[in-house]
Amino acid sequence: MRNRTVGINIRVTVTEKKKVTMLARKCGLSLSEYLRQRALGYEPGGHPPMEVFDVLDKLDEIAEQCSVQTGAGINAQTDRMRDLLIGGN
């Protein structure tokens, strides 16, 4: 059952709404959830577009076709890029 029963209304400019909506979309959140998280002190992380991961997967495929040493280097770099994009260590 949903516990959120109280609304908070604020006025913003058209430009401000577009910007906040874009930021919410980048994080994969609804506008309400994005604003809720920001108001409560959370900083939601953004998600790169799926095309970024498609490119990384293609680089992995290329690495499999390379020599062992070259392929290992490519795989290490794509793993590093993937970790940077999704918040890994």
Side-chain angles (χ1 to χ4, degrees), residues 15-25 31 34-35:
T15 303
E16 289 170 332
K17 183 176 180 185
K18 285 180 182 180
K19 182 175 181 179
V20 175
T21 301
M22 179 195 66
L23 292 169
R25 190 175 301 128
L31 180 58
Y34 179 81
L35 292 171

Side-chain angles (χ1 to χ4, degrees), residues 1-7:
M1 185 173 167
R2 190 170 160 175
N3 293 329
R4 296 183 181 121
T5 58
V6 179

Side-chain angles (χ1 to χ4, degrees), residues 6 25 30 36 50-51 55 58 63 86-88:
V6 179
R25 190 175 301 128
S30 68
R36 187 179 302 109
M50 285 306 300
E51 293 82 8
V55 168
K58 189 65 176 172
I86 60 174

